[in-house]
Amino acid sequence: MTDIKSMYFDELSTSLKESGLPAFRAKQVWQWLQQKGVGSFDLMTNLSKDLREKLKEDYVIKFCEIEKKSASALDGTVKYLFRLFDGEFVESVLMKYKYGYSLCVSTQVGCRMNCAFCATGVGGFIRNLAAAEILSQIHAAQNDMDIKVSHIVLMGMGEPMDNYDNVIRFLKLVNNDDGLNIGMRNISLSTCGIIPGIKKLEQENLQLTLSVSLHAPNDDVRSRLMPVNKKYKVDDLLDVCRKYADSTSRRISYEYAMFGGVNDSDECAYELASKLKGTLAHINLIPANDVTESGLHSSTPERIKRFCEILEKSGRNVTVRRSLGGDIDASCGQLRSKHIKA
Ligand code: SAH
């Protein structure tokens, strides 16, 4: 069965033709899949019943069914648990901001990266998501809430750079004028720092925002938190990021989750300030969210304030991230399929 929703328009027309189906129907099929985001051929009501049956024989729509939905009483954030065609689960988080709706999407079922503080890594890695499955998270949330998502962050479960080709395909599909048409400037892609991926992304020359989960200014501290640092060292990573920012003229957002007594000292702040000097950078300090297995805890608000001040005084661009969805385990790093364990 061919994954029809992951196809670009020209691939879809060619494929229909090869299946002996009318290629001139490609536009209608494409609109149902990419704009309306239907999960079944039966809903493509302007196609003949016969054609719909033929499509079912050769193609599958990789859709996300809502398995569970929880809404935060604090801020209206909605967390979805989606069931995929093979019974696996992923989570997405819908956040409402002044500028519109932003959806945090997953790119893999599980994750290989095993960061010490992150809930997703705990269950290990299961599989990559197809482009269609990343897209379907947006369609499912939009159709459920009857809203339009205007911003996307690839910061849910998984490491986007570890599923590079499908993620790029997703980006091109979601950005398509005849699809959801979400502007690249409204998309953020977050990585734990996979150097070859960042270099490749630089070549794609997309106008999206690259976020780098740095969380520490040196190898000693970072390797304790993130196993990926054993392979891609802080200074090499920052070198590649500097080149990325220079060549794309896009500011990189450095994520820095703050863990009490681990990465929140004055020394860490000074070291970070100095290493990010002279490059297009925004530092996003994140009060860490508790993940029971990790034994790590957030820094105190006073520590975060002090850390932020050091960076500001050194001339760095820095903000402290407001946490949403805390009461429904929907904040950074809390996504996992609890469902499976039950
Ligand atoms: N794999 C990608 C994207 C998914 S994680 C990445 O590493 O960037 C999204 C963000 O949440 C990352 O910045 C990650 O480091 C952060 N995060 C994970 N667990 C967290 C926690 N317990 N508290 C705060 N942020 C966390």
Side-chain angles (χ1 to χ4, degrees):
M1 293 287 245
T2 308
D3 168 11
I4 192 168
K5 190 171 169 174
S6 292
M7 288 180 175
Y8 296 130
F9 180 74
D10 50 346
E11 292 171 345
L12 177 63
S13 336
T14 311
S15 174
L16 289 182
K17 204 189 278 169
E18 281 167 9
S19 297
L21 297 170
F24 69 91
R25 294 283 178 207
K27 186 144 191 178
Q28 283 167 308
V29 175
W30 165 271
Q31 283 172 343
W32 281 113
L33 293 169
Q34 300 292 331
Q35 283 178 4
K36 301 211 174 58
V38 297
S40 146
F41 292 108
D42 290 326
L43 297 171
M44 301 185 175
T45 45
N46 59 356
L47 302 182
S48 70
K49 181 117 198 303
D50 198 37
L51 177 56
R52 284 185 253 154
E53 291 306 318
K54 286 199 182 116
L55 285 167
K56 279 189 220 168
E57 284 169 19
D58 286 356
Y59 300 97
V60 59
I61 303 175
K62 293 196 171 170
F63 196 62
C64 295
E65 298 287 348
I66 301 174
E67 176 77 12
K68 204 172 144 224
K69 175 182 169 186
S70 15
S72 163
L74 300 175
D75 51 45
T77 295
V78 179
K79 182 170 77 167
Y80 289 99
L81 176 71
F82 291 120
R83 184 165 22 85
L84 307 175
F85 74 99
D86 58 353
E88 296 295 346
F89 295 96
V90 288
E91 292 183 313
S92 308
V93 180
L94 182 69
M95 292 156 287
K96 192 173 181 188
Y97 291 100
K98 278 190 227 91
Y99 53 74
Y101 283 96
S102 176
L103 190 72
C104 176
V105 297
S106 295
T107 54
Q108 297 180 315
V109 184
C111 187
R112 257 192 272 262
M113 299 300 135
N114 251 315
C115 298
F117 46 81
C118 179
T120 301
V122 175
F125 172 77
I126 301 186
R127 70 169 174 85
N128 282 328
L129 293 190
E133 294 173 306
I134 311 176
L135 265 176
S136 291
Q137 296 169 53
I138 308 171
H139 286 126
Q142 284 198 161
N143 295 347
D144 175 55
M145 297 283 284
D146 201 17
I147 47 129
K148 175 101 180 74
V149 168
S150 59
H151 290 67
I152 304 167
V153 293
L154 285 84
M155 295 191 187
M157 297 163 72
E159 167 52 46
M161 296 294 195
D162 189 35
N163 183 15
Y164 188 88
D165 292 344
N166 291 337
V167 164
I168 295 293
R169 183 172 275 273
F170 156 75
L171 292 171
K172 292 184 175 164
L173 287 170
V174 81
N175 180 240
N176 192 292
D177 295 353
D178 293 320
L180 286 172
N181 195 15
I182 297 180
M184 282 292 172
R185 285 177 181 259
N186 289 0
I187 302 178
S188 294
L189 183 153
S190 184
T191 177
C192 64
I194 300 197
I195 288 180
I198 298 174
K199 285 184 174 165
K200 261 209 272 184
L201 188 68
E202 182 184 325
Q203 301 307 315
E204 313 273 352
N205 204 15
L206 303 173
Q207 290 296 297
L208 51 72
T209 299
L210 177 65
S211 289
V212 174
S213 301
L214 193 60
H215 305 325
N218 59 55
D219 291 330
D220 272 357
V221 181
R222 197 166 192 264
S223 292
R224 277 166 61 197
L225 295 170
M226 305 174 74
V228 70
N229 194 71
K230 301 201 169 96
K231 189 153 182 197
Y232 303 117
K233 302 277 185 266
V234 171
D235 291 347
D236 297 336
L237 173 61
L238 292 178
D239 244 17
V240 170
C241 288
R242 198 175 278 271
K243 290 195 188 99
Y244 181 98
D246 284 348
S247 88
T248 60
S249 304
R250 300 284 298 157
R251 186 172 83 165
I252 292 184
S253 174
Y254 292 91
E255 310 298 306
Y256 199 103
M258 302 210 46
F259 302 101
V262 179
N263 64 353
D264 62 350
S265 64
D266 286 3
E267 292 70 40
C268 280
Y270 285 117
E271 193 175 357
L272 182 64
S274 122
K275 290 197 178 174
L276 292 180
K277 196 170 174 199
T279 180
L280 282 169
H282 174 258
I283 303 162
N284 205 353
L285 300 177
I286 310 168
N289 295 300
D290 281 348
V291 168
T292 7
E293 294 86 348
S294 73
L296 295 162
H297 298 286
S298 177
S299 307
T300 60
E302 297 74 41
R303 254 289 98 208
I304 298 177
K305 190 160 169 264
R306 165 89 183 137
F307 201 91
C308 186
E309 279 166 7
I310 295 176
L311 292 169
E312 266 172 352
K313 286 206 181 107
S314 314
R316 297 296 84 80
N317 199 306
V318 53
T319 47
V320 179
R321 185 188 282 175
R322 189 166 60 99
S323 181
L324 294 176
D327 56 335
I328 52 167
D329 280 355
S331 305
C332 298
Q334 295 185 314
L335 301 185
R336 75 167 95 205
S337 301
K338 275 195 177 153
H339 197 75
I340 299 172
K341 293 178 143 187

